Amino acid sequence: MPHARMPRRRLALAVTAALAVTVGTLTAVPAVAATGAVAAAEQTQAQQTALTLLPGSLVLGNGPSGFLTRRTEGTQYAYAWTRYADGVTTTLPATAPTSRYAGTLGSDHVVKSEGAVHTLYDMATGADPVVIDTSSLGTSAQFVRLAGTTLVMRVTRPDGRADVHLVTKAAGALVDRVVTGLPADASVRRYEMSTPDTLALLYTGTVDGVTGSRVALVNVATATIVEDRAAPGAGLSGDVSVSATHLAWAEKSSSDSSATLAVARRGQPEVQRIPLGTGTMVTELMGDWVTYAVAGGTTASVPNPLHALTARSLADGRTVKLIDTVDSAPRAEADGSLLVQGGTVEHGQGLYRIAPGADGTPTATLVAGTGLPIVLQLTGQTVPDTFDFRTSDGDGYLTWQFAAHTGAKVAVELTHTATGKQWTSTATVNSAGRGLAYWTGLFDDHTTATNGAYTWKMTATPTNGIGAPVERSGTLTVDSGQAPHGFSDTGSPDLIVREGSFLFVYDGRQALQHGAQTELKETIIGAGWDAYDQIVTPGNVAGARYADLVARDKNGALWLHTGTGKTAFSERTKIGGGWQIYNKLTAGGDLDGDARPDLVATDTAGDLWLYKGTGSATAPFAPRVKIGNGWGIYNKIVATGNIGGGTAGDLVARDTAGDLWLYLGNGDGTFAARTRIGGGWNTYDEIIAIGDADRDGRPDLLANGPDGRNDELALYSGTGDWKVPFAARSWLYAAPPLTGSQKTLF
């Protein structure tokens, strides 16, 4: 924008014709608010014909014909003037990063400041701009605000203190008037305008030997102080407002942040103090009413009744709520009404005019709306139909999308339909407006989520307390399949512990991942299990959905306990006799590639025998086939499942020296030549093919020493590489129910 004089016709074109942004053709809204004679029906019509305010706009000034706004576009500010009469919005010429536009109140003037050069524009008439160069005031001069056509400047003196200058231009010459009458030690902290002709200065200074906060009222036309009074509770962030009859300011306690509204008649010493609550208030006077609010309610993190703009009668103390949130301090208009940016639950964000209604009580009318709500608004959701938690890749988000400007706490509750067990989650809506609940497949007690149907409920509660919570509900399914070492229909391995004659089942994820954080949930299978001298966990050998147990009694009979998926087993079935010839039994891998788990056994002669799984509950194993000899050198054999990355199940065997050997399955019930994969395994009493304990898709080993290791179990995570089939040992906390000399893990 040039600094020299612009021809009147050219400026008129720039301001009123060359419209960079036009916000549609709307019904005209009067430039001045309706007075107390306006009926409710007319106010409703005004609400329906409100102008459009672009989201993100901040009102910087207002006059009889329109208002000035600023919004961020990319890395710069964009300034615009909107006319009340027809809704036409004119984008003002772009500014350099260090320059800015400012508006005033009660006037259609705006100023563009670029360093020491300030250019005034009359947005109503399109008159030639007035350029005011304040460089003569020195480099310390700072533009503070615009008062009509007067620049309010702060100029630092050599002693470090600052004077208030009122600068105008008349007959082509700079007119600089210094406000006098302030104490010598005055330090002005706020420059406020509630009327076009009065500047309120909130300052600290010493008067009559008393140092404290004070308010001085300056007549802009004469640059003289017309009133100066103590305001002891007004803080640095306090607001000050003035009318023809009253002065009001906000006080905030330094000890408890409580807010107090102070009101006094001009020229009189008495002050009425009204305790309100907590927060930093903005205030404004309007006739015989004072309005107040704590700004920022839309994005507030806690509720506060002061987020609503409230008007209080100075005559009888009555109060009335005007709008639900306030973004900035109300701005006075020339007719005594107020213009305030904020929002209501009914009409959303926008610019509202506060004026007396038919009975004289202030009412709010929407002048320009953004189309955005202030209440919590759900705009979308993504909830998976099915979760599969066999691997960590199955973990996932339940997502609800909200209007990004509204903060909320999101509470999610998932309930397993059959058992009533729950997983709950609470989170804050993030900056992108998303409420996220990330489920890893655990209930609140850290046990693994059971397969089956679930109901979910989401409750989003606005953090600012404005508007009602948003609720949604639905259903989903968990289908994590079945784990070979799982007995609770979760798709996750479980731990089986025998102590004396009793058998217990523990949830594997709770025990191995969260055992130190929660009390383990145990399920008692029952007594009499000391009748067995060997128990193996072959997986599903009976052809049903769930994993089973096979146990040999001390007379050599072999028994099948079919799983039910409810950490319990059906009545046992005898499936053979004469099994006392074997000193080691193991099962749990598919050795012949038919997708059914098989059992292997070594006899006292050291021969290795294969019993292929059949899938039959009455005869789960085919007749034995000899597949090796010389296995008498081993004191432990474990069917691990496919740990070598091949196509069939494998075996590991520990010799008497403590070395561990890998036998890769060939897929036909035989094995490749053994490979040594480690030493020192004789420290363990038990080596358990736990299945996939760490949810990486590969089977693992769990080992337990004679008495545990400081209540810990050793986990060897599978790698899928037959050369190094297990990662380095990890010690896992094991709660007392899992360890001890009287306990055996299977």
Side-chain angles (χ1 to χ4, degrees), residues 143-213:
F143 171 72
V144 176
R145 65 184 311 132
L146 182 65
T149 59
T150 300
L151 307 179
V152 180
M153 307 288 294
R154 181 181 186 276
V155 181
T156 303
R157 303 193 305 258
D159 64 1
R161 300 198 177 273
D163 291 322
V164 180
H165 290 236
L166 304 181
V167 180
T168 56
K169 195 170 186 179
L174 186 74
V175 179
D176 176 23
R177 297 167 298 156
V178 180
V179 175
T180 59
L182 293 173
D185 63 347
S187 176
V188 180
R189 296 176 298 183
R190 289 181 70 92
Y191 303 75
E192 297 289 350
M193 294 201 67
S194 298
T195 64
D197 58 357
T198 303
L199 173 67
L201 302 177
L202 176 61
Y203 75 95
T204 57
T206 304
V207 176
D208 296 331
V210 179
T211 302
S213 297

Side-chain angles (χ1 to χ4, degrees), residues 560-584:
L560 172 65
H561 294 262
T562 55
T564 65
K566 299 179 180 179
T567 56
F569 298 94
S570 301
E571 289 294 326
R572 69 179 186 172
T573 301
K574 185 177 180 181
I575 56 175
W579 285 74
Q580 69 273 14
I581 66 172
Y582 300 117
N583 53 18
K584 291 180 287 294

Side-chain angles (χ1 to χ4, degrees), residues 70-220:
R70 183 191 75 195
R71 65 191 304 268
T72 302
E73 290 186 356
T75 59
Q76 292 186 323
Y77 287 136
Y79 297 86
W81 180 268
T82 300
R83 293 197 304 242
Y84 290 126
D86 52 15
V88 171
T89 295
T90 302
T91 296
L92 301 176
T95 63
T98 57
S99 60
R100 58 176 178 162
Y101 283 92
T104 183
L105 55 85
S107 170
D108 291 316
H109 287 87
V110 300
V111 61
K112 179 183 179 182
S113 298
E114 297 174 295
V117 178
H118 310 275
T119 306
L120 286 171
Y121 300 100
D122 188 335
M123 302 304 296
T125 67
D128 290 344
V130 176
V131 178
I132 304 176
D133 188 341
T134 60
S135 56
S136 61
L137 275 63
T139 58
S140 70
Q142 294 178 316
F143 171 72
V144 176
R145 65 184 311 132
L146 182 65
T149 59
T150 300
L151 307 179
V152 180
M153 307 288 294
R154 181 181 186 276
V155 181
T156 303
R157 303 193 305 258
D159 64 1
R161 300 198 177 273
D163 291 322
V164 180
H165 290 236
L166 304 181
V167 180
T168 56
K169 195 170 186 179
L174 186 74
V175 179
D176 176 23
R177 297 167 298 156
V178 180
V179 175
T180 59
L182 293 173
D185 63 347
S187 176
V188 180
R189 296 176 298 183
R190 289 181 70 92
Y191 303 75
E192 297 289 350
M193 294 201 67
S194 298
T195 64
D197 58 357
T198 303
L199 173 67
L201 302 177
L202 176 61
Y203 75 95
T204 57
T206 304
V207 176
D208 296 331
V210 179
T211 302
S213 297
R214 302 184 64 86
V215 177
L217 304 183
V218 179
N219 184 308
V220 175

Side-chain angles (χ1 to χ4, degrees), residues 187-518:
S187 176
V188 180
R189 296 176 298 183
R190 289 181 70 92
Y191 303 75
E192 297 289 350
M193 294 201 67
S194 298
T195 64
D197 58 357
T198 303
L199 173 67
L201 302 177
L202 176 61
Y203 75 95
T204 57
T206 304
V207 176
D208 296 331
V210 179
T211 302
S213 297
R214 302 184 64 86
V215 177
L217 304 183
V218 179
N219 184 308
V220 175
T222 62
T224 57
I225 294 177
V226 295
E227 185 172 348
D228 187 357
R229 65 180 303 139
L236 179 63
S237 57
D239 195 18
V240 178
S241 56
V242 61
S243 70
T245 58
H246 287 83
L247 179 65
W249 63 90
E251 299 179 346
K252 185 176 180 180
S253 170
S254 59
S255 60
D256 59 6
S257 299
S258 60
T260 299
L261 178 64
V263 183
R265 281 194 170 274
R266 292 183 58 172
Q268 297 184 11
E270 293 81 9
V271 177
Q272 180 186 11
R273 287 184 166 82
I274 307 163
L276 296 177
T278 60
T280 301
M281 288 190 303
V282 294
T283 65
E284 197 60 63
L285 289 156
M286 186 184 73
D288 291 332
W289 295 79
V290 59
T291 63
Y292 53 87
V294 171
T298 302
T299 58
S301 59
V302 293
N304 189 335
L306 291 178
H307 286 152
L309 181 67
T310 302
R312 183 184 182 92
S313 170
L314 298 176
D316 57 21
R318 286 184 298 130
T319 61
V320 58
K321 188 176 83 168
L322 299 171
I323 62 177
D324 295 294
T325 64
V326 174
D327 297 328
S328 56
R331 305 177 62 85
E333 299 233 273
D335 67 342
S337 63
L338 302 179
L339 203 63
V340 59
Q341 194 168 357
T344 64
V345 170
E346 181 180 5
H347 298 291
Q349 293 185 11
L351 191 61
Y352 289 81
R353 180 171 284 114
I354 311 299
D359 62 354
T361 302
T363 60
T365 303
L366 182 64
V367 174
T370 65
L372 296 177
I374 67 165
V375 295
L376 192 61
Q377 186 177 65
L378 183 69
T379 60
Q381 69 180 32
T382 302
V383 179
D385 294 328
T386 304
F387 278 97
D388 180 351
F389 296 111
R390 274 172 281 199
T391 68
S392 58
D393 291 340
D395 301 347
Y397 286 103
L398 296 83
T399 305
W400 291 269
Q401 185 71 46
F402 300 89
H405 62 280
T406 306
K409 297 285 188 182
V410 174
V412 179
E413 183 179 277
L414 269 70
T415 304
H416 184 228
T417 305
T419 64
K421 292 196 66 174
Q422 289 188 329
W423 172 71
T424 56
S425 170
T426 57
T428 302
V429 172
N430 63 22
S431 59
R434 286 192 297 270
L436 305 175
Y438 191 75
W439 195 21
T440 61
L442 297 176
F443 290 124
D444 285 342
D445 62 1
H446 299 294
T447 58
T448 311
T450 309
N451 290 324
Y454 286 74
T455 59
W456 61 262
K457 179 181 178 182
M458 183 280 298
T459 304
T461 304
T463 56
N464 56 14
I466 299 171
V470 174
E471 292 186 353
R472 294 292 186 274
S473 60
T475 60
L476 57 82
T477 300
V478 172
D479 185 0
S480 299
Q482 296 299 317
H485 208 276
F487 305 96
S488 52
D489 195 21
T490 64
S492 174
D494 296 311
L495 296 179
I496 293 185
V497 177
R498 183 172 64 185
E499 181 176 10
S501 69
F502 286 91
L503 200 68
F504 303 88
V505 174
Y506 295 90
D507 181 84
R509 290 187 65 186
Q510 184 195 42
L512 299 179
Q513 298 178 27
H514 300 280
Q517 306 169 27
T518 184

Side-chain angles (χ1 to χ4, degrees), residues 537 586-589 591 598-600 637-641 650-652 688-690 701:
T537 55
T586 187
L591 304 180
D598 307 310
L599 183 149
V600 293
I637 59 172
V638 181
T640 61
D650 309 311
L651 288 181
V652 295
I688 304 129
I690 187 65
L701 287 184

